[in-house]
Amino acid sequence: GGTTNTISWGSTNEIDGANGGMVNLAYDTNVDRIVVAYKDGNNSNYGTCRVGTVTGGTTNSISWGSATVFNSEITAMSKSNEALAFDDNSNKVLIVYLTNTNAINASGEQERGAAIVGTVTGGTTNSISFGTEKTFDGAGRAKLNSEDLSIKFDSNSNKFISSKGTRLCNVLVFANILF
């Protein structure tokens, strides 16, 4: 007896052809959309997002909106789906990433950590708009690796919490991010 549990798979869905990388995914419960942040290999490795609508039923497909660049420099993010989180209190997403990976900062390091807030629009547009990038890793700190960055939203405190570093873990709390 009992119920049989089955999974019905749709077809694969490419967001950036064969050149996308460092893909991160979050679900926006406010507008019932998925948000994908990735490094766009077809556009100078810029940080890019797309918003999609999942259609269930017999099709199990995703309808994507246009690609939107959030960082017009070479961008590196976690490959472990930890660089993007949804805030269900303010209905925003936050992306953490490394930017300016070709430039050298005052400490002789290449990358700097950055974060940016996005607002998803539902309806027929499947679009996202972004605020201003905030840099959170300054001169004199240890060099970052994109795999060292992760972001989660704590709904109890209504704050994003990010860890950076694998050997010495520094926890950052994004309390008053300007949306």
Side-chain angles (χ1 to χ4, degrees), residues 153-159:
F153 181 72
D154 179 0
S155 58
N156 291 324
S157 65
N158 287 326
K159 293 179 174 71

Side-chain angles (χ1 to χ4, degrees), residues 94 96 115 136 141 150-154 157-164 170-177:
L94 182 69
V96 292
F136 62 85
R141 298 203 179 159
S150 67
I151 189 78
K152 301 293 181 222
F153 181 72
D154 179 0
S157 65
N158 287 326
K159 293 179 174 71
F160 286 100
I161 301 171
S162 177
S163 64
K164 63 181 189 71
N170 298 311
V171 176
L172 303 171
V173 177
F174 295 92
N176 294 312
I177 296 179

Side-chain angles (χ1 to χ4, degrees), residues 113-134:
I116 197 162
V117 174
T119 304
V120 176
T121 303
T124 58
T125 62
N126 281 348
S127 61
I128 188 167
S129 59
F130 292 100
T132 304
E133 175 186 275
K134 303 292 182 189

